[in-house]
Amino acid sequence: MEGFPLASVSMLLPLVGSVLIVFAREEFSKWIAVLFSGLVFVLSLLSLFFFDFSKADRFQFVEKYPLIPELNLSLHLGFDGLSYLMYILTTLVSLVALLWSTRDHQISHRLKEYYIWFLLTETFLVGVFASLDLMVFYVFYELTLVPMFFVIGIWGYKLRLYSAYKFFIYIFVSSLLLLLGIVSLAVQHYRQFSKFSFNYLDLINNQYDLTFEVFMFLLFLIAFAVKTPIVPFHTWLPDAHGEAPTAGSVVLAAVLLKMGTYALLRFNIGLFPEASVFLMPIMVLWGIFSIVFASWFTISQSNVKRFVAYSSVSHMGFVVTGMFLLNAEGLRASITEMFAHGLTSSALFMMAGFIYNRLHSFNMQALRGSIKFMPLFAVLVAITGFSSMGLPGGSSFWGKFLTIVGAREYTLLLAFLVIVGAFFSAVYVLYLLKTLYLDTKEESRLVHFTDLRGFKLTAFLLVVFPMFIVGFLPFLFFAFYDPYIDSLLKYLLSRVAGG
Amino acid sequence: MEQLIRIEIPNLWLLLPELVVLITGFALFSLELLYKRLNHALAISVSLVGYLLAFLLLLFNWGIEGETFYGLYKRDEFSNLMQAFMLILTMALLGFNYLYYKHRRSLYGEFYYILSFALIGGMFLVSSYNLVVLYVALEAVSIAFYILTALLRSDFNSKEGAFKYLMLGGLSIALASYGAGFMYLYSGSLDLRYILTHVGENHYFLVLGLVLFLIGFAIKIGAVPFHFWLPDAYQGAPTPITAYMASVGKLAFFAPLVRIMPLVQEHFAYAWITTASIISALTMLYGNLTALVQKDVKRLLAYSSIAHSGYIMAGIAVAEVIGLKAVIYFLIAYSLMGFGSFMVLALLERAEGWENRLEQFSGMRFSAPWLAFSFMIMLLALLGVPPTVGFVGKALVFMSLSFERLWWLALVMIIATGISTGYYLRITVLMFMKEGEEGQHHIAVSTLEKSLIVILSLALVLLGALPIILWNFVSPSAENLFMR
């Protein structure tokens, strides 16, 4: 299966699904979407048997189709351990989001368009993680904006238009800096090797003086800091998440934010090693600052969706902090947390959507004690909450714990700062759980609530089950990216020492 | 003395497509004289046959290059490429114009032959280095455009637009010819290649001549601060003609600048880069900022056209081969996007009570879905969202700016594009996310018009997703221009 075009097949399947939906009757659109997204998910699981984990630092399932040979621009696709994990997260979350969309309060009109946009999002997301060519990466990275813009703007809640604008403009404009950065690297490659190239594997050979490298690092950083997001570039996110329909929020939080962190790791650290080391203290402190501030913002929210959205910003703070510690533990923490957050944020947004469908409110006060009569839902939410908090056995535990270990490798003070961040993030989760479980409420309104079942239960289980795997069997996940981290650190050392 | 007595037999083979268009023009003129009431179907057929023939001649003789008429005329890959797009767009225009003019009750036989004279002027404008030929061609296109702008005889705006265009057009021609005079004074030649590579005394004559010449063209392309005529002329002109000016007009008026660009010598490169960059920055910012506050979509697109002149100028500022490739690519990209977007307006204008007001676009997704989708693609292409042809153009301009290390101009371009997000998205949001009034936009659109719009919007995506298609033509023609 080594030569199997995994990426392009995974991109084509949802595309074919969306074309079929155009011609199908509206009531079939959901089934077609679930079927095709399910097929991609099964494909991603099957491909696990053919991925060589011992060589997870190298790109596998590689495909290359030239676009402009003169500029060395090609549709060059492939996965190493890091992108492969993100690919699996994408296929999982896309399926979950589609399953969840059925009988959602918001998704009652223009169903064909809705499912088409979702399938297209899946195509573009796979493209983002599979691209080895920076220009192609950029194309997919930008393309994910379009379907989400429509999903928020058409099926969102009250302030959907404002949020859709804000989402698009923030990310589109910041991405233009990225575009400038990417073409500048190609030009730099031309100056050094007398040929243009947008290929990642070529561009890592570029040499820069530190000033230019830092400038390039910043161009990339601003784009990815907005996407990730890191405080203070986060203001688009609560609006977008707060107003998007549940499935939109799920995909946004679980996968779209990961595009930012994935790109920070792959491109900022991979392409600009000297600048990364040079700016490391600032980046780490910035990450911690982001954790603490976002946690405070989280606690002050009265809208549960915005609450979960802000908590995502705080989690991304951990990812950034861990990543820029630039040691094995930090990088492990960062990538594990990326995956873990994909699971917990999906579940938390589904929780918010599920309660909204019954109570028609996102207000924290209105939610008090609301899950008392839905035992199965209550258990799953509790698992998610504790998991997100970083309780041992939960998925976020390793992310937080390893970040502390990674920070301790430098100084005790740094580790202490990370612990403060972790403390705050535990506070807001406990606050949420308290509101949902312990606060009392007049019971007559709630007693008729039905519990999770059918599609929604399946969707929930699909993200809760892997939380346990990450929590109890983290080494399964380390296998994806340990070789990658090893080679990245060696490369960093050689570049920095060599430079 | 040898040159004076050299007698050359003109190689008419090189000129064949132009000759065919010229003959078509005169044929149409004769038809108009012969018939009191011109049969429009006949005129369209004659035009189409002529242009198609010219296009095929161009296509089958693609490899042929050379100069004729003592170097007054040059056929090369660049002129082939520009002329091919000019012919395609003119033929497409003929698919749209009849129903539009019929609806506006402004059907005139002049339209057809004046259009062919505009086309012939454009074709000559892209294929010469000679100042006199450029001047004559510029006049041909401009005069044709003035008349075409005023061709809604009962409409005040149309006449007002044409008048403004005429006044500023006259100024532009005057400045360009004045500039040409100085350049001749400097070098004793009318050939740009000789003038710009010549090292003579009185260097300031060259600079002055070049500046005046450039300002003349800057007026034509609508660069700030010489843009005043453009929004009025674009708004007042019959919309298909606006589309034509924004596409074929841009191709024609930018072409001489594109030809001059590779000739920029080291001793005035700095002046060139600085002037072009400043004009570009002003044009981008002004165009986009003003477009942002427009309530009339036709006017909005006119300002967007100004902004796009700014983006193209940014590429022109980079006097390197990569900049030239970016410029040619972007120029063609804009000609397609501009043509398509104005054509959508031309179709909509046939709806009852349509005035191009922004809010009238509300809910177009429901009343005219295919038109809304096509227009969305065109707007996203104008914005530069991948994988459209507009994105590739912008990326190439960025690349050339990075090549010249014009970081400040790249940042201005990013800001300007950021501003443009506001208005392109606003129309998209109105079309797709707002409910419109009942029974809106019921327009009788012919199958031909529908197919043309759909083909055009698909082309915008296809040429962006597979940039190699256009690149294969753009790249060699740019390199060829650099080798002169």
Side-chain angles (χ1 to χ4, degrees), chain A residues 77-111:
Chain A
L77 306 168
F79 298 102
D80 66 352
L82 174 66
S83 49
Y84 190 55
L85 186 67
M86 292 296 122
Y87 159 67
I88 290 173
L89 181 67
T90 304
T91 60
L92 170 68
V93 172
S94 302
L95 178 63
V96 166
L98 282 168
L99 286 176
W100 190 267
S101 301
T102 52
R103 293 204 204 114
D104 192 342
H105 181 71
Q106 289 298 106
I107 318 302
S108 53
H109 62 304
R110 294 167 79 175
L111 295 181

mmCIF file of all heavy atoms in Angstrom, chain A residues 77-111:
data_model
loop_
_atom_site.group_PDB
_atom_site.id
_atom_site.type_symbol
_atom_site.label_atom_id
_atom_site.label_comp_id
_atom_site.label_asym_id
_atom_site.label_seq_id
_atom_site.Cartn_x
_atom_site.Cartn_y
_atom_site.Cartn_z
ATOM 1 N N LEU A 77 1.988 15.552 -2.104
ATOM 2 C CA LEU A 77 1.235 15.162 -0.911
ATOM 3 C C LEU A 77 1.925 13.986 -0.223
ATOM 4 O O LEU A 77 2.598 13.182 -0.869
ATOM 5 C CB LEU A 77 -0.190 14.746 -1.296
ATOM 6 C CG LEU A 77 -0.997 15.746 -2.118
ATOM 7 C CD1 LEU A 77 -2.252 15.098 -2.665
ATOM 8 C CD2 LEU A 77 -1.368 16.950 -1.268
ATOM 9 N N GLY A 78 1.728 13.896 1.062
ATOM 10 C CA GLY A 78 2.282 12.772 1.809
ATOM 11 C C GLY A 78 2.126 13.016 3.290
ATOM 12 O O GLY A 78 1.787 14.123 3.718
ATOM 13 N N PHE A 79 2.332 11.956 4.074
ATOM 14 C CA PHE A 79 2.160 12.097 5.520
ATOM 15 C C PHE A 79 3.401 11.606 6.246
ATOM 16 O O PHE A 79 3.931 10.553 5.923
ATOM 17 C CB PHE A 79 0.987 11.241 6.005
ATOM 18 C CG PHE A 79 -0.335 11.631 5.425
ATOM 19 C CD1 PHE A 79 -0.900 10.886 4.397
ATOM 20 C CD2 PHE A 79 -1.027 12.722 5.908
ATOM 21 C CE1 PHE A 79 -2.135 11.235 3.859
ATOM 22 C CE2 PHE A 79 -2.261 13.082 5.374
ATOM 23 C CZ PHE A 79 -2.804 12.331 4.353
ATOM 24 N N ASP A 80 3.853 12.383 7.235
ATOM 25 C CA ASP A 80 4.760 11.803 8.216
ATOM 26 C C ASP A 80 3.925 11.608 9.483
ATOM 27 O O ASP A 80 2.708 11.821 9.472
ATOM 28 C CB ASP A 80 5.992 12.687 8.430
ATOM 29 C CG ASP A 80 5.650 14.012 9.071
ATOM 30 O OD1 ASP A 80 4.447 14.315 9.203
ATOM 31 O OD2 ASP A 80 6.572 14.755 9.443
ATOM 32 N N GLY A 81 4.542 11.180 10.566
ATOM 33 C CA GLY A 81 3.768 10.848 11.764
ATOM 34 C C GLY A 81 2.880 11.993 12.219
ATOM 35 O O GLY A 81 1.710 11.809 12.559
ATOM 36 N N LEU A 82 3.444 13.194 12.200
ATOM 37 C CA LEU A 82 2.710 14.358 12.697
ATOM 38 C C LEU A 82 1.460 14.628 11.852
ATOM 39 O O LEU A 82 0.342 14.708 12.374
ATOM 40 C CB LEU A 82 3.637 15.575 12.666
ATOM 41 C CG LEU A 82 3.010 16.914 13.005
ATOM 42 C CD1 LEU A 82 2.571 16.954 14.448
ATOM 43 C CD2 LEU A 82 3.992 18.055 12.732
ATOM 44 N N SER A 83 1.661 14.730 10.543
ATOM 45 C CA SER A 83 0.508 15.069 9.705
ATOM 46 C C SER A 83 -0.463 13.904 9.636
ATOM 47 O O SER A 83 -1.669 14.091 9.489
ATOM 48 C CB SER A 83 0.954 15.494 8.312
ATOM 49 O OG SER A 83 1.846 14.578 7.785
ATOM 50 N N TYR A 84 0.066 12.699 9.774
ATOM 51 C CA TYR A 84 -0.793 11.525 9.717
ATOM 52 C C TYR A 84 -1.777 11.520 10.890
ATOM 53 O O TYR A 84 -2.960 11.215 10.737
ATOM 54 C CB TYR A 84 0.087 10.277 9.738
ATOM 55 C CG TYR A 84 -0.649 9.002 9.440
ATOM 56 C CD1 TYR A 84 -1.394 8.871 8.277
ATOM 57 C CD2 TYR A 84 -0.594 7.921 10.314
ATOM 58 C CE1 TYR A 84 -2.071 7.699 8.000
ATOM 59 C CE2 TYR A 84 -1.266 6.763 10.044
ATOM 60 C CZ TYR A 84 -2.006 6.643 8.882
ATOM 61 O OH TYR A 84 -2.689 5.500 8.608
ATOM 62 N N LEU A 85 -1.273 11.900 12.051
ATOM 63 C CA LEU A 85 -2.144 11.959 13.231
ATOM 64 C C LEU A 85 -3.229 13.018 13.032
ATOM 65 O O LEU A 85 -4.401 12.810 13.350
ATOM 66 C CB LEU A 85 -1.305 12.305 14.472
ATOM 67 C CG LEU A 85 -2.050 12.249 15.788
ATOM 68 C CD1 LEU A 85 -2.453 10.823 16.123
ATOM 69 C CD2 LEU A 85 -1.203 12.817 16.927
ATOM 70 N N MET A 86 -2.830 14.153 12.462
ATOM 71 C CA MET A 86 -3.796 15.229 12.213
ATOM 72 C C MET A 86 -4.827 14.796 11.165
ATOM 73 O O MET A 86 -5.991 15.153 11.232
ATOM 74 C CB MET A 86 -3.075 16.489 11.704
ATOM 75 C CG MET A 86 -2.190 17.143 12.723
ATOM 76 S SD MET A 86 -3.151 17.749 14.109
ATOM 77 C CE MET A 86 -2.402 16.880 15.455
ATOM 78 N N TYR A 87 -4.346 14.002 10.228
ATOM 79 C CA TYR A 87 -5.242 13.478 9.180
ATOM 80 C C TYR A 87 -6.311 12.584 9.808
ATOM 81 O O TYR A 87 -7.503 12.691 9.504
ATOM 82 C CB TYR A 87 -4.393 12.743 8.143
ATOM 83 C CG TYR A 87 -5.120 11.736 7.283
ATOM 84 C CD1 TYR A 87 -6.076 12.136 6.363
ATOM 85 C CD2 TYR A 87 -4.824 10.369 7.383
ATOM 86 C CE1 TYR A 87 -6.731 11.202 5.570
ATOM 87 C CE2 TYR A 87 -5.460 9.427 6.597
ATOM 88 C CZ TYR A 87 -6.420 9.848 5.694
ATOM 89 O OH TYR A 87 -7.073 8.925 4.914
ATOM 90 N N ILE A 88 -5.875 11.722 10.729
ATOM 91 C CA ILE A 88 -6.849 10.833 11.373
ATOM 92 C C ILE A 88 -7.832 11.644 12.215
ATOM 93 O O ILE A 88 -9.038 11.384 12.210
ATOM 94 C CB ILE A 88 -6.110 9.772 12.217
ATOM 95 C CG1 ILE A 88 -5.410 8.809 11.261
ATOM 96 C CG2 ILE A 88 -7.072 9.021 13.117
ATOM 97 C CD1 ILE A 88 -4.514 7.816 11.929
ATOM 98 N N LEU A 89 -7.309 12.656 12.888
ATOM 99 C CA LEU A 89 -8.197 13.527 13.671
ATOM 100 C C LEU A 89 -9.237 14.175 12.756
ATOM 101 O O LEU A 89 -10.427 14.262 13.083
ATOM 102 C CB LEU A 89 -7.355 14.600 14.370
ATOM 103 C CG LEU A 89 -8.119 15.588 15.242
ATOM 104 C CD1 LEU A 89 -8.701 14.899 16.453
ATOM 105 C CD2 LEU A 89 -7.224 16.740 15.707
ATOM 106 N N THR A 90 -8.777 14.616 11.588
ATOM 107 C CA THR A 90 -9.686 15.268 10.632
ATOM 108 C C THR A 90 -10.802 14.328 10.199
ATOM 109 O O THR A 90 -11.982 14.692 10.206
ATOM 110 C CB THR A 90 -8.909 15.707 9.375
ATOM 111 O OG1 THR A 90 -7.844 16.537 9.787
ATOM 112 C CG2 THR A 90 -9.795 16.458 8.405
ATOM 113 N N THR A 91 -10.432 13.119 9.807
ATOM 114 C CA THR A 91 -11.462 12.202 9.300
ATOM 115 C C THR A 91 -12.435 11.835 10.419
ATOM 116 O O THR A 91 -13.639 11.734 10.203
ATOM 117 C CB THR A 91 -10.842 10.923 8.709
ATOM 118 O OG1 THR A 91 -10.098 10.263 9.743
ATOM 119 C CG2 THR A 91 -9.939 11.229 7.557
ATOM 120 N N LEU A 92 -11.897 11.680 11.633
ATOM 121 C CA LEU A 92 -12.758 11.339 12.770
ATOM 122 C C LEU A 92 -13.742 12.478 13.064
ATOM 123 O O LEU A 92 -14.955 12.269 13.146
ATOM 124 C CB LEU A 92 -11.887 11.044 14.004
ATOM 125 C CG LEU A 92 -12.629 10.913 15.330
ATOM 126 C CD1 LEU A 92 -13.485 9.660 15.332
ATOM 127 C CD2 LEU A 92 -11.668 10.877 16.515
ATOM 128 N N VAL A 93 -13.181 13.681 13.198
ATOM 129 C CA VAL A 93 -14.030 14.808 13.600
ATOM 130 C C VAL A 93 -15.034 15.154 12.503
ATOM 131 O O VAL A 93 -16.177 15.506 12.798
ATOM 132 C CB VAL A 93 -13.156 16.021 13.965
ATOM 133 C CG1 VAL A 93 -14.020 17.252 14.187
ATOM 134 C CG2 VAL A 93 -12.358 15.717 15.209
ATOM 135 N N SER A 94 -14.636 15.026 11.233
ATOM 136 C CA SER A 94 -15.579 15.325 10.154
ATOM 137 C C SER A 94 -16.770 14.389 10.225
ATOM 138 O O SER A 94 -17.919 14.817 10.083
ATOM 139 C CB SER A 94 -14.909 15.174 8.792
ATOM 140 O OG SER A 94 -13.813 16.026 8.722
ATOM 141 N N LEU A 95 -16.494 13.119 10.469
ATOM 142 C CA LEU A 95 -17.594 12.159 10.571
ATOM 143 C C LEU A 95 -18.486 12.498 11.763
ATOM 144 O O LEU A 95 -19.717 12.507 11.662
ATOM 145 C CB LEU A 95 -17.032 10.736 10.704
ATOM 146 C CG LEU A 95 -18.081 9.642 10.862
ATOM 147 C CD1 LEU A 95 -18.971 9.562 9.625
ATOM 148 C CD2 LEU A 95 -17.442 8.279 11.112
ATOM 149 N N VAL A 96 -17.844 12.804 12.887
ATOM 150 C CA VAL A 96 -18.598 13.138 14.094
ATOM 151 C C VAL A 96 -19.492 14.352 13.846
ATOM 152 O O VAL A 96 -20.677 14.367 14.198
ATOM 153 C CB VAL A 96 -17.623 13.414 15.263
ATOM 154 C CG1 VAL A 96 -18.332 14.077 16.427
ATOM 155 C CG2 VAL A 96 -16.968 12.125 15.713
ATOM 156 N N ALA A 97 -18.924 15.371 13.187
ATOM 157 C CA ALA A 97 -19.693 16.595 12.941
ATOM 158 C C ALA A 97 -20.895 16.303 12.054
ATOM 159 O O ALA A 97 -21.985 16.820 12.281
ATOM 160 C CB ALA A 97 -18.800 17.640 12.284
ATOM 161 N N LEU A 98 -20.694 15.443 11.049
ATOM 162 C CA LEU A 98 -21.811 15.130 10.155
ATOM 163 C C LEU A 98 -22.878 14.311 10.873
ATOM 164 O O LEU A 98 -24.074 14.527 10.691
ATOM 165 C CB LEU A 98 -21.298 14.389 8.926
ATOM 166 C CG LEU A 98 -20.634 15.303 7.904
ATOM 167 C CD1 LEU A 98 -19.896 14.503 6.848
ATOM 168 C CD2 LEU A 98 -21.669 16.199 7.234
ATOM 169 N N LEU A 99 -22.439 13.363 11.696
ATOM 170 C CA LEU A 99 -23.409 12.568 12.457
ATOM 171 C C LEU A 99 -24.222 13.482 13.366
ATOM 172 O O LEU A 99 -25.421 13.330 13.534
ATOM 173 C CB LEU A 99 -22.684 11.523 13.317
ATOM 174 C CG LEU A 99 -22.107 10.319 12.583
ATOM 175 C CD1 LEU A 99 -21.337 9.437 13.548
ATOM 176 C CD2 LEU A 99 -23.220 9.508 11.925
ATOM 177 N N TRP A 100 -23.520 14.435 13.964
ATOM 178 C CA TRP A 100 -24.183 15.321 14.909
ATOM 179 C C TRP A 100 -25.196 16.243 14.227
ATOM 180 O O TRP A 100 -26.197 16.637 14.822
ATOM 181 C CB TRP A 100 -23.145 16.168 15.655
ATOM 182 C CG TRP A 100 -23.768 16.892 16.786
ATOM 183 C CD1 TRP A 100 -24.279 18.148 16.775
ATOM 184 C CD2 TRP A 100 -24.022 16.373 18.083
ATOM 185 N NE1 TRP A 100 -24.825 18.443 17.991
ATOM 186 C CE2 TRP A 100 -24.678 17.366 18.817
ATOM 187 C CE3 TRP A 100 -23.751 15.136 18.702
ATOM 188 C CZ2 TRP A 100 -25.067 17.190 20.139
ATOM 189 C CZ3 TRP A 100 -24.130 14.975 20.017
ATOM 190 C CH2 TRP A 100 -24.780 15.973 20.726
ATOM 191 N N SER A 101 -24.938 16.559 12.959
ATOM 192 C CA SER A 101 -25.786 17.539 12.273
ATOM 193 C C SER A 101 -27.220 17.077 12.108
ATOM 194 O O SER A 101 -28.111 17.876 11.873
ATOM 195 C CB SER A 101 -25.221 17.839 10.892
ATOM 196 O OG SER A 101 -23.930 18.329 11.025
ATOM 197 N N THR A 102 -27.453 15.776 12.171
ATOM 198 C CA THR A 102 -28.823 15.302 11.961
ATOM 199 C C THR A 102 -29.689 15.751 13.128
ATOM 200 O O THR A 102 -29.301 15.655 14.283
ATOM 201 C CB THR A 102 -28.861 13.769 11.888
ATOM 202 O OG1 THR A 102 -28.182 13.288 13.045
ATOM 203 C CG2 THR A 102 -28.176 13.262 10.664
ATOM 204 N N ARG A 103 -30.843 16.230 12.815
ATOM 205 C CA ARG A 103 -31.840 16.715 13.771
ATOM 206 C C ARG A 103 -31.292 17.791 14.695
ATOM 207 O O ARG A 103 -31.717 17.912 15.835
ATOM 208 C CB ARG A 103 -32.394 15.563 14.623
ATOM 209 C CG ARG A 103 -33.190 14.609 13.767
ATOM 210 C CD ARG A 103 -34.189 13.854 14.598
ATOM 211 N NE ARG A 103 -34.492 12.606 13.912
ATOM 212 C CZ ARG A 103 -34.172 11.414 14.383
ATOM 213 N NH1 ARG A 103 -33.600 11.286 15.561
ATOM 214 N NH2 ARG A 103 -34.459 10.345 13.695
ATOM 215 N N ASP A 104 -30.333 18.535 14.209
ATOM 216 C CA ASP A 104 -29.880 19.676 15.008
ATOM 217 C C ASP A 104 -30.891 20.803 14.782
ATOM 218 O O ASP A 104 -31.431 20.955 13.690
ATOM 219 C CB ASP A 104 -28.469 20.106 14.558
ATOM 220 C CG ASP A 104 -27.847 21.088 15.535
ATOM 221 O OD1 ASP A 104 -28.620 21.679 16.317
ATOM 222 O OD2 ASP A 104 -26.633 21.273 15.517
ATOM 223 N N HIS A 105 -31.096 21.569 15.824
ATOM 224 C CA HIS A 105 -32.077 22.637 15.768
ATOM 225 C C HIS A 105 -31.792 23.611 14.621
ATOM 226 O O HIS A 105 -32.698 24.067 13.925
ATOM 227 C CB HIS A 105 -32.024 23.381 17.107
ATOM 228 C CG HIS A 105 -32.995 24.503 17.195
ATOM 229 N ND1 HIS A 105 -34.345 24.290 17.289
ATOM 230 C CD2 HIS A 105 -32.824 25.841 17.171
ATOM 231 C CE1 HIS A 105 -34.954 25.461 17.354
ATOM 232 N NE2 HIS A 105 -34.053 26.410 17.283
ATOM 233 N N GLN A 106 -30.515 23.906 14.425
ATOM 234 C CA GLN A 106 -30.144 24.922 13.431
ATOM 235 C C GLN A 106 -30.204 24.402 11.998
ATOM 236 O O GLN A 106 -30.395 25.161 11.067
ATOM 237 C CB GLN A 106 -28.710 25.419 13.684
ATOM 238 C CG GLN A 106 -28.541 26.270 14.909
ATOM 239 C CD GLN A 106 -29.343 27.546 14.834
ATOM 240 O OE1 GLN A 106 -30.367 27.678 15.497
ATOM 241 N NE2 GLN A 106 -28.896 28.498 14.044
ATOM 242 N N ILE A 107 -29.981 23.108 11.857
ATOM 243 C CA ILE A 107 -29.814 22.568 10.502
ATOM 244 C C ILE A 107 -31.168 22.090 9.997
ATOM 245 O O ILE A 107 -31.464 20.899 9.963
ATOM 246 C CB ILE A 107 -28.802 21.395 10.492
ATOM 247 C CG1 ILE A 107 -27.609 21.700 11.377
ATOM 248 C CG2 ILE A 107 -28.365 21.053 9.077
ATOM 249 C CD1 ILE A 107 -26.851 22.939 11.017
ATOM 250 N N SER A 108 -31.994 23.030 9.613
ATOM 251 C CA SER A 108 -33.328 22.627 9.175
ATOM 252 C C SER A 108 -33.631 23.126 7.763
ATOM 253 O O SER A 108 -34.652 22.803 7.203
ATOM 254 C CB SER A 108 -34.368 23.175 10.146
ATOM 255 O OG SER A 108 -34.177 24.566 10.290
ATOM 256 N N HIS A 109 -32.754 23.920 7.208
ATOM 257 C CA HIS A 109 -33.009 24.418 5.859
ATOM 258 C C HIS A 109 -31.731 24.391 5.030
ATOM 259 O O HIS A 109 -30.639 24.300 5.566
ATOM 260 C CB HIS A 109 -33.556 25.844 5.910
ATOM 261 C CG HIS A 109 -32.595 26.827 6.514
ATOM 262 N ND1 HIS A 109 -32.049 26.670 7.766
ATOM 263 C CD2 HIS A 109 -32.060 27.964 6.029
ATOM 264 C CE1 HIS A 109 -31.237 27.679 8.020
ATOM 265 N NE2 HIS A 109 -31.218 28.471 6.990
ATOM 266 N N ARG A 110 -31.899 24.422 3.726
ATOM 267 C CA ARG A 110 -30.780 24.406 2.768
ATOM 268 C C ARG A 110 -29.801 23.272 3.101
ATOM 269 O O ARG A 110 -28.582 23.488 3.187
ATOM 270 C CB ARG A 110 -30.071 25.762 2.776
ATOM 271 C CG ARG A 110 -30.974 26.877 2.255
ATOM 272 C CD ARG A 110 -30.413 28.246 2.541
ATOM 273 N NE ARG A 110 -29.375 28.648 1.622
ATOM 274 C CZ ARG A 110 -28.819 29.863 1.635
ATOM 275 N NH1 ARG A 110 -29.223 30.767 2.513
ATOM 276 N NH2 ARG A 110 -27.880 30.183 0.783
ATOM 277 N N LEU A 111 -30.406 22.069 3.275
ATOM 278 C CA LEU A 111 -29.585 20.941 3.720
ATOM 279 C C LEU A 111 -28.518 20.540 2.714
ATOM 280 O O LEU A 111 -27.400 20.191 3.087
ATOM 281 C CB LEU A 111 -30.478 19.729 3.995
ATOM 282 C CG LEU A 111 -31.459 19.915 5.154
ATOM 283 C CD1 LEU A 111 -32.280 18.673 5.362
ATOM 284 C CD2 LEU A 111 -30.701 20.258 6.429
#
